[in-house]
Amino acid sequence: AALLTLGGVGLLEIGDSLDALRAGGVAAGDLWSIVQALGFGTSFYLIGRLISEDDDGAGADQVLPVTAVNVATVAALSALWAVCDGCGVGPLAASSSAGWLVDAGTR
């Protein structure tokens, strides 16, 4: 299943033709996509192990709290990323979309 997922992400990232791949067109965004897919799959694997780890079935009671922590973490990191990109601070200052929150023309 993991290889199928990585293959699917790879096909989506290659685009319409293989010309970009042949020309060495693998960019940092392509690598981020693969790392994201690996992280997503790993998190589901670890959560599954955490929930089914208990022999007495107590792990099933942890589904809602674990899900809440996952959603809150993703929301907080996404908000931080959006604010950094929107204000043009930090490592995102060099991106083409940096500063969209402070530029009246892009709001």
Side-chain angles (χ1 to χ4, degrees):
L3 292 176
L4 184 63
T5 302
L6 284 174
V9 170
L11 289 174
L12 288 172
E13 291 300 318
I14 288 173
D16 293 336
S17 70
L18 294 175
D19 293 336
L21 186 61
R22 288 185 191 120
V26 178
D30 301 332
L31 298 177
W32 274 111
S33 295
I34 290 174
V35 168
Q36 187 273 339
L38 288 172
F40 188 76
T42 302
S43 72
F44 271 89
Y45 173 74
L46 292 174
I47 289 169
R49 283 191 53 204
L50 173 75
I51 291 172
S52 65
E53 198 168 83
D54 296 332
D55 292 333
D56 60 357
D61 296 338
Q62 297 300 316
V63 173
L64 192 57
V66 168
T67 302
V69 169
N70 279 344
V71 170
T73 302
V74 169
L77 292 175
S78 297
L80 179 65
W81 184 282
V83 168
C84 287
D85 185 40
C87 295
V89 297
L92 303 174
S95 73
S96 61
S97 64
W100 58 268
L101 277 176
V102 294
D103 183 12
T106 58
R107 275 188 270 159

